């Protein structure tokens, strides 16, 4: 099967105006970011505000495992499958964060034939929302430190500054820093911290704000510090909220993109279910509900984190309710929960499945507590056996949940038809959504409610620091807010090593803070990192820019004709004179077209005296002349693993690469590659060279 990037690159995207038209959106209601991305205007939101709401479907999952689950893939595939069965559906997802993209995940736009496009743009800068959030956050920090530097009329205690700087990148070196060093003109020295942008309160505020006015008010209500006398200091006291709002004026508008099969998708805000709330914005979800009959959305991590926050925080503030909840799992992940090492999860193991399926059972029970129909979607792998799948189905039914196999990764919408039908049926069942807890409960009562009913804890313990913090938060009115629990995603407990459905464990709350602008109290359990680090081998090492030729900006195409091998070599010599030493020359053409003869002429012109031969068996031949020349044959390269094994990416920028059979690695060619297509002419010896990317 093709890789995700190969599938994405081979897709024919529709102009975003065409996707918008499917939803009854005019071009005047779009703010275009190129051909395939657009922001949805405030005018559109105003026009459709009185439309009836569609059905809301929440996609969540069991606790994440190294064996994989696939929430985003399922969400994208389910949207495509809805179209297959004739339903008018839209997807509303969170945006990826650069930290995980370059860290562990490598991307977060779905996978296989269930992706959201343009995938590379989405995983990188997209429409700049994350940068705007980062800038707004750090502007407030700059104004706070400047206030202290310029006389500190508010009496801010530098030892009690709560608001942290942020960066949309995993960088552990910035977790704890010292600022203001180097003399009086550089500010007041103090300890400071960075968090990842998506864990910031500004991110949560963007996601929970109903409109620009609400956004400004929430930003002004951010608790940034305390004074020497113990009084709270808010962003509005620094007069920062106006400028912060200005930086976010475009970021608050949802983004419209599409799936591989042209299903509309809104992506806006929201990752990081530990501190933020792990789902897209209220504006995005509410707008999606007005635009289609079915809105499919997703909540981060397992249901104990993302879904719980979606249901108890977002739904409460937005006044929305899901008609059905989809829990994503894999047979492999359930066996992992049953104690099987990752390397062995592909082997049939009914006993391990029976031990690990209890994790799924807890998630089913938890979601049913919200009085919403539940459907379990099993992402199917080729190694899953009929006996294993039958056992999972019977287990789900015994738990009161519907069950469907899903193969959207391998088959796109067609592979999700069974799931789509089950979801539509679930949406028609009686539903009486109700949050888990009342806001009238105390902070401790809310924590206990979640800890015991969602996690399965027997007791909640509080550190001395947490006890003190609770009193401070309550004094600010935080005891009447919903709570956002920061807990490991890998276990139902606060210990990531406890898999399955742990029993008789205790949860320890080590700290409590108030996100006053966002409108929730944050409960910290265990050791939660708000600024993750990069792994030993970051995904960044393997990420490359891959564009197809149709999107590259080449010079005008030049056509040359050779009548024999000598003239073919002369064309190679002519190209050589235009090279600077780090070019990629991509040769296209079948057997006997003269690719090696061309390379021989090019190499000779660059001072290579040794004979140049075809690299058919060696895969790459190296020649040293004026520049290093790496002569590749990609005839036998059929996958990304094959390509990596050639060392291809290590050679780029280290010399001149001449690639025969470039057809096989189209998606991996650099954007500025020189492209030469060789075709047979009118006679057997005549060759036509079409050359792009270099002036001759």
């Amino acid at each position: 099967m093709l890789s995700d990037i190969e599938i994405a690159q081979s897709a024919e995207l529709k102009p975003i105006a065409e996707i918008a038209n499917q939803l009854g959106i005019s071009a005047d209601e779009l703010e275009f970011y190129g051909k395939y991305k657009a922001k949805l205007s405030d005018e559109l939101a105003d026009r459709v505000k009185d439309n009836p709401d569609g059905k809301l479907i929440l996609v969540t999952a069991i606790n994440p495992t190294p064996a994989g689950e696939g929430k985003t893939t399922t969400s994208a595939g389910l949207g495509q499958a809805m179209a297959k069965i004739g339903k008018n559906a839209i997807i509303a997802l969170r945006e990826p964060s650069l930290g995980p993209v370059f860290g562990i995940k490598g991307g977060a736009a779905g996978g296989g034939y269930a992706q959201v496009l343009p995938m590379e743009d989405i995983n990188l800068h997209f429409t700049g929302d994350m940068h705007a959030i980062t800038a707004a956050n750090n502007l407030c920090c700059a104004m706070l430190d400047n206030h202290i530097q310029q006389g500190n009329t508010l009496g801010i205690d530098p030892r009690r500054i709560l608001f942290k700087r942020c960066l949309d990148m995993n960088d552990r070196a910035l977790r704890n820093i010292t600022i203001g060093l180097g003399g009086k003109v550089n500010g007041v020295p103090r300890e400071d911290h960075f968090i990842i942008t998506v864990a910031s309160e500004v991110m949560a505020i963007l996601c929970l704000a109903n409109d620009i006015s609400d956004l400004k008010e929430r930003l002004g209500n951010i608790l940034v510090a305390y004074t020497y006398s113990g009084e709270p200091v808010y962003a509005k006291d620094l007069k920062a909220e106006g400028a912060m709002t200005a930086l976010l004026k475009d970021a608050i508008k949802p983004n419209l993109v599409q799936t591989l099969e042209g299903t509309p998708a809104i992506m806006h805000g929201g990752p990081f279910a530990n501190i933020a709330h792990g789902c897209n914005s209220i504006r995005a979800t509410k707008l999606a509900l007005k635009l289609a009959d079915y809105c499919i959305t997703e909540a981060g991590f397992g249901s104990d984190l993302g879904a719980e926050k979606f249901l108890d925080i977002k739904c409460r503030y937005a006044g929305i309710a899901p008609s059905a909840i989809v829990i994503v799992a894999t047979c492999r992940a359930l066996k992992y929960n049953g104690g099987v090492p990752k390397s062995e999860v592909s082997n049939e193991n009914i006993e391990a499945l029976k031990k690990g399926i209890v994790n799924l059972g807890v998630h089913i029970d938890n979601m049913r507590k919200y009085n919403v129909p539940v459907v379990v979607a099993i992402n199917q792998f080729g190694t899953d056996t009929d006996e294993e799948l039958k056992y999972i189905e019977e287990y789900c039914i015994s738990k009161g949940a519907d069950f469907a196999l899903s193969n959207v990764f391998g088959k796109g919408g067609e592979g999700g038809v069974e799931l789509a039908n089950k979801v539509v049926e679930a949406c028609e069942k009686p539903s009486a959504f109700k949050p888990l807890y009342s806001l009238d409960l105390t902070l401790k009562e809310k924590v206990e409610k979640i800890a015991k009913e969602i996690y399965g804890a027997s007791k909640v313990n509080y550190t001395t620091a947490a006890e003190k913090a609770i009193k401070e938060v309550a004094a600010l009115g935080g005891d009447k807010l919903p709570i956002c629990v920061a807990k490991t995603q890998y276990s139902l407990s606060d210990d990531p090593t406890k898999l399955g459905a742990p029993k008789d464990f205790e949860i320890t709350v080590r700290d409590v803070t108030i996100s006053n602008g966002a409108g929730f109290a944050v409960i910290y359990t265990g050791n939660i990192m708000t600024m993750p680090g990069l792994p030993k081998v970051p995904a960044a090492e393997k990420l490359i820019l891959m564009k197809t030729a149709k999107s590259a900006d080449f010079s005008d195409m030049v056509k040359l004709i050779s009548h024999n091998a000598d003239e073919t070599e002369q064309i190679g010599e002519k190209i050589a004179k235009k090279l600077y030493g780090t070019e990629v020359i991509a040769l296209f053409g079948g057997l006997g077209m003269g690719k090696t003869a061309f390379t021989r002429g090019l190499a000779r012109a660059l001072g290579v005296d040794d004979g140049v031969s075809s690299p058919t068996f060696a895969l790459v031949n190296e020649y040293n002349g004026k520049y290093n020349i790496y002569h590749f044959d990609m005839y036998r390269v059929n996958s990304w693993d094959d390509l990596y094994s050639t060392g291809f990416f290590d050679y780029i920028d280290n010399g001149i690469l001449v690639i025969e059979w470039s057809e096989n690695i189209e998606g991996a060619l650099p954007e500025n590659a020189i492209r030469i297509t060789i075709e047979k002419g009118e006679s057997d010896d005549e060759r036509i060279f079409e050359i792009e990317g270099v002036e001759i």
Side-chain angles (χ1 to χ4, degrees):
M1 181 174 169
L2 298 174
S3 69
D4 290 353
I5 187 68
E6 289 173 311
I7 294 169
Q9 288 289 338
S10 63
E12 289 290 334
L13 278 78
K14 297 178 181 178
I16 199 62
E18 188 175 327
I19 299 296
N21 190 55
Q22 296 177 32
L23 301 168
I25 301 171
S26 70
D28 290 339
E29 295 171 319
L30 299 175
E31 296 175 10
F32 293 96
Y33 282 67
K35 193 174 179 181
Y36 304 113
K37 300 171 290 185
K39 281 195 171 286
L40 299 171
S41 68
D42 294 335
E43 290 76 17
L44 170 65
D46 289 337
R47 178 172 69 80
V48 301
K49 64 182 180 184
D50 295 325
N51 287 3
D53 285 345
K55 301 282 190 181
L56 180 60
I57 300 151
L58 173 64
V59 178
T60 185
I62 62 172
N63 293 99
T65 73
E69 289 71 52
K71 290 189 301 297
T72 306
T73 300
T74 300
S75 298
L78 177 56
Q80 295 177 160
M82 284 291 199
K84 290 283 185 185
I85 63 173
K87 302 298 182 181
N88 176 24
I90 189 171
I91 304 163
L93 301 176
R94 82 287 174 271
E95 299 177 48
S97 169
L98 289 182
V101 166
F102 290 105
I104 294 177
K105 298 188 71 170
Y113 290 92
Q115 295 187 56
V116 187
L117 304 177
M119 183 260 276
E120 308 103 300
D121 292 2
I122 291 167
N123 278 318
L124 298 176
H125 303 286
F126 198 18
T127 58
D129 295 346
M130 298 296 180
H131 301 307
I133 294 166
T134 303
N137 183 102
N138 293 344
L139 172 64
C140 185
C141 293
M143 291 179 72
L144 189 155
D145 280 301
N146 185 62
H147 181 89
I148 298 172
Q149 170 78 357
Q150 303 294 350
N152 197 7
T153 56
L154 291 172
I156 295 170
D157 187 346
R159 299 162 301 179
R160 298 199 68 191
I161 291 174
L162 307 175
F163 199 65
K164 300 174 182 176
R165 288 170 163 82
C166 71
L167 181 72
D168 190 28
M169 187 58 62
N170 292 4
D171 191 347
R172 63 172 55 84
L174 294 178
R175 286 173 187 164
N176 303 291
I177 60 173
T178 303
I179 63 172
L181 301 180
K184 187 175 180 180
V185 297
N186 294 325
V188 177
R190 67 177 181 89
E191 184 181 355
D192 200 7
H193 313 270
F194 270 85
I195 60 176
I196 191 167
T197 296
V198 286
S200 68
E201 185 174 354
V202 178
M203 165 60 76
I205 287 172
L206 183 88
C207 290
L208 294 171
N210 286 299
D211 52 39
I212 198 80
S213 300
D214 187 29
L215 176 70
K216 183 180 178 182
E217 183 178 354
R218 289 174 177 271
L219 291 170
N221 288 334
I222 295 173
L223 177 66
V224 297
Y226 284 95
T227 67
Y228 286 109
S229 59
E231 295 299 314
V233 180
Y234 301 97
K236 59 188 174 187
D237 297 321
L238 299 169
K239 300 180 175 59
E241 74 274 25
M244 294 172 73
T245 305
L247 285 168
L248 296 170
K249 68 178 181 64
D250 292 322
I252 195 174
K253 300 171 184 175
N255 309 294
L256 181 66
V257 285
Q258 62 189 286
T259 70
L260 272 168
E261 297 177 11
T263 301
I266 297 177
M267 299 191 81
H268 193 221
F272 215 86
N274 272 330
I275 310 299
H277 63 303
C279 44
N280 69 92
S281 71
I282 282 178
R283 281 173 64 91
T285 303
K286 292 182 79 168
L287 186 54
L289 287 169
K290 298 295 183 183
L291 294 171
D293 297 329
Y294 295 90
C295 168
I296 298 145
T297 192
E298 174 192 336
F301 296 142
S303 78
D304 55 316
L305 283 174
E308 185 274 314
K309 293 172 175 61
F310 179 95
L311 298 166
D312 286 319
I313 300 176
K314 178 174 176 175
C315 287
R316 196 190 305 262
Y317 278 129
I320 56 177
S323 297
I325 296 174
V326 177
I327 301 175
V328 181
T330 64
C331 187
R332 296 153 54 94
L334 294 175
K335 286 185 283 189
Y336 182 87
N337 267 286
V340 174
K342 181 186 174 183
S343 58
E344 299 175 17
V345 294
S346 296
N347 304 329
E348 183 180 271
N349 192 327
I350 296 294
E351 288 308 308
L353 180 61
K354 289 179 179 179
K355 289 179 182 176
I357 203 168
V358 293
N359 185 266
L360 172 60
V362 172
H363 289 283
I364 294 172
D365 292 342
N366 285 346
M367 294 299 96
R368 294 193 69 209
K369 289 173 183 175
Y370 291 91
N371 300 316
V372 178
V374 174
V375 181
V376 173
I378 295 294
N379 270 338
Q380 195 170 0
F381 285 75
T383 56
D384 300 344
T385 68
D386 290 343
E387 188 178 356
E388 288 174 328
L389 294 173
K390 184 67 177 174
Y391 179 81
I392 298 171
E393 181 178 11
E394 290 173 350
Y395 181 88
C396 292
I397 292 170
S398 73
K399 286 285 193 177
D402 288 325
F403 171 89
L405 292 175
S406 173
N407 190 11
V408 296
F409 183 92
K411 298 181 179 179
E414 193 62 43
V417 167
E418 179 187 350
L419 175 60
N421 283 319
K422 287 290 179 66
V423 168
V424 170
E425 291 173 13
C427 287
E428 300 306 318
K429 293 180 179 179
S431 170
F433 170 73
K434 184 182 177 183
L436 186 70
Y437 56 83
S438 166
L439 295 183
D440 292 330
L441 298 178
T442 66
L443 283 175
K444 283 191 173 183
E445 288 171 336
K446 291 167 187 169
V447 173
E448 186 162 309
K449 190 86 169 173
I450 291 176
K452 291 184 176 181
E453 293 204 28
I454 301 297
Y455 309 151
S458 58
K459 184 182 178 184
V460 181
N461 301 312
Y462 296 85
T463 64
T464 303
E467 292 280 7
K468 182 183 177 184
I470 286 173
K471 292 176 182 177
E472 289 183 344
V473 169
L476 297 169
D479 56 335
K480 299 303 179 186
L481 296 175
I483 61 172
C484 182
V485 183
K487 180 184 75 66
T488 180
Q489 66 266 40
Y490 299 113
S491 171
L492 289 162
S493 74
D494 57 358
D495 180 351
T497 64
K498 292 181 177 177
L499 303 180
K503 303 287 186 184
D504 300 320
F505 63 91
E506 298 180 1
I507 289 277
T508 298
V509 175
R510 62 176 179 84
D511 197 10
V512 178
T513 61
I514 184 171
S515 289
N516 196 58
F520 52 69
V522 182
I523 313 296
Y524 294 86
T525 71
N527 187 23
I528 298 299
M529 287 295 176
T530 54
M531 171 52 85
L534 294 170
K536 188 172 183 178
V537 183
E541 292 187 9
K542 299 179 180 179
L543 286 178
I544 54 171
L545 177 65
M546 293 193 289
K547 293 275 188 185
T548 57
K550 59 189 176 186
S551 62
D553 184 19
F554 297 114
S555 61
D556 292 338
M557 189 266 288
V558 175
K559 188 176 287 188
L560 299 177
I561 298 176
S562 77
H563 300 90
N564 51 55
D566 288 343
E567 290 185 7
T568 294
E569 290 185 20
Q570 289 169 17
I571 291 175
E573 293 173 1
K574 189 174 292 196
I575 297 294
K577 295 175 182 177
K578 302 294 182 178
L579 304 180
Y580 295 93
T582 57
E583 288 82 0
V584 174
I585 302 171
L587 301 177
F588 298 82
L591 286 168
M593 289 297 104
K595 296 186 291 292
T596 301
F598 166 89
T599 307
R600 188 177 300 116
L602 181 143
R604 186 171 58 243
L606 295 175
V608 177
D609 298 325
D610 298 334
V612 172
S613 59
S614 171
T616 300
F617 298 104
L619 298 184
V620 59
N621 290 334
E622 299 183 17
Y623 305 104
N624 296 311
K626 181 180 180 181
Y627 308 118
N628 292 326
I629 302 172
Y630 305 106
H631 185 194
F632 283 87
D633 187 306
M634 298 297 182
Y635 184 76
R636 289 179 289 158
V637 172
N638 297 306
S639 67
W640 282 98
D641 286 341
D642 291 347
L643 184 57
Y644 280 119
S645 70
T646 68
F648 175 74
F649 300 110
D650 296 328
Y651 291 98
I652 291 178
D653 295 330
N654 289 316
I656 294 170
L657 277 63
V658 184
I659 306 163
E660 298 190 23
W661 299 99
S662 293
E663 298 90 334
N664 289 353
I665 63 162
E666 179 81 62
L669 294 174
E671 190 172 340
N672 60 348
I674 298 169
R675 301 171 64 91
I676 301 177
T677 303
I678 313 173
E679 295 178 344
K680 188 171 180 291
E682 293 181 0
S683 70
D684 288 342
D685 294 329
E686 187 177 274
R687 299 289 181 265
I688 300 170
F689 286 72
E690 293 183 350
I691 303 169
E692 299 174 281
V694 64
E695 294 183 4
I696 300 178

